Every structure is written in C-alpha cells, then in structure tokens.
Amino acid sequence: MTGYGRDRERRRRTRTLLAAGYLTALTALLGLKTGWVPAAAGLLGLLALVYLVFSLIAWRDARAERRRRAAGEPPSWSAQLPVQVAQLLGAKAPGRHARRADEVGELLGRLSLRDGELCWEPRKADRERGVGPLTFDRSWTAEVVPLRGPASQGCLTLTSPDGTAVDLWVRHPADLRQALTALVR
C-alpha cells in the first residue's frame, strides 16, 4: 500500500473511532434519560441496521457480478481510483477535481480483467464528463490486501516497471486475488 493508501486508511479509522465515541456518548446520555435497557436496545437495533445495509450492498454487488460472468463478460470488481492517480496516469479528472493537483478524492468505476490486462473504467457520469479508462498491462505487478471493515473491501496496489505505485480500492479482494493468481499460472 502506498503512502496515500495508508493516509486514507488512517483517516477512515479515525472517523470510525470518532463515530463510535459519539455513539457511545449518545447512548450514555439516552441511558440516563430513559434507562439503560431501552438505550442498549436502541444501540443494538441501530448497529444491526447498519450491518444489514452493508451486507445488502455487498450481496447486490456479488449477485450482479455473478450475472455478468454467467452472461460471458470478463470478471470485474467495483473500484475506486484516487484522483491524483488518474491525473498522474493521464486521465482527465472531472469538474472541480481537474483544478487541484493535491486532490484527495476518488473516482468510482469498475476494474475488469480483459485479455490478461486490468482495465479501470469510470462510472457513466464521469465518462460523460470526459474521464477515460485506464489500462494496466502485464508489466504492472499487483498486490491485493484485504481491509478490515464492512462490505468486503480491499486495496489493490499496482506497481509499474519504473517503480510508480498506485492504489485502487476494490470490493471482494479475495475474488480479485484468486483471478490474478489464476492469470499468473
């Protein structure tokens, strides 16, 4: 994982810890007002709802991918490409992202495996704004690292022969790792 990826994960962990602290404080205040049993039940209900929403998103994505593969399309994964990486590799960034060199956001899209190459294609809205696809040929080495958290996320680090390393965040990293391993064989 590159420095950008480590910073992104550190920001995500910090936000998660702050949200957990806020939720704990809110539950404690609610417990003082209504009693501990209703406050604990409300907290457990909220956590169950969040878990179910993330599970539903991951399930829908996996189901859509199974349908795509059954229709004969190449394997693909939801992927986020950092705006800095898109600019580094020559892809035009949309809207306000095009004006800043130190942009921290990500572009949404799909990573697919076609003819032994990884191809990232932006979502439809970004394609309409002029963002083009990026292709990583076999000369790029890939490393997939699963990340802790909901919705089965992972970081794909691609390194070019000249040493340039880029991170993409993908869903279902185990499936991506399996596809890349099968490609190398």
Side-chain angles (χ1 to χ4, degrees):
M1 195 178 305
T2 65
Y4 179 87
R6 285 188 292 278
D7 288 344
R8 180 185 186 264
E9 287 306 303
R10 187 175 55 249
R11 286 191 308 270
R12 186 173 73 107
R13 274 193 302 274
T14 302
R15 284 192 307 263
T16 301
L17 289 174
L18 288 174
Y22 177 75
L23 191 58
T24 302
L26 192 62
T27 302
L29 289 174
L30 185 62
L32 292 173
K33 187 84 169 167
T34 63
W36 294 105
V37 173
L43 175 64
L44 290 175
L46 179 65
L47 293 175
L49 179 65
V50 168
Y51 176 78
L52 288 173
V53 166
F54 276 114
S55 296
L56 177 65
I57 291 169
W59 174 76
R60 285 184 60 208
D61 189 47
R63 191 179 89 188
E65 181 59 25
R66 280 193 303 270
R67 275 188 275 144
R68 271 194 291 278
R69 290 182 187 185
E73 292 185 32
S76 67
W77 302 268
S78 296
Q80 298 175 9
L81 179 73
V83 173
Q84 289 179 340
V85 172
Q87 292 172 340
L88 174 74
L89 298 176
K92 178 183 166 193
R96 67 178 172 83
H97 297 297
R99 293 187 291 271
R100 294 188 53 194
D102 61 342
E103 187 61 45
V104 180
E106 283 95 23
L107 300 171
L108 302 176
R110 289 203 77 74
L111 184 70
S112 59
L113 187 60
R114 295 188 182 134
D115 301 326
E117 297 181 336
L118 286 170
C119 303
W120 178 83
E121 295 181 14
R123 65 184 173 162
K124 182 179 178 186
D126 289 337
R127 279 193 309 263
E128 291 172 355
R129 291 187 196 128
V131 179
L134 295 174
T135 303
F136 304 95
D137 60 15
R138 287 182 182 238
S139 67
W140 291 73
T141 58
E143 178 188 1
V144 182
V145 177
L147 301 174
R148 293 182 187 167
S152 181
Q153 295 182 10
C155 178
L156 168 65
T157 302
L158 295 166
T159 308
S160 72
D162 67 359
T164 304
V166 297
D167 287 333
L168 285 89
W169 283 267
V170 295
R171 286 236 178 95
H172 310 291
D175 183 45
L176 175 59
R177 181 182 290 153
Q178 184 179 23
L180 292 173
T181 304
L183 180 67
V184 172
R185 290 183 199 171

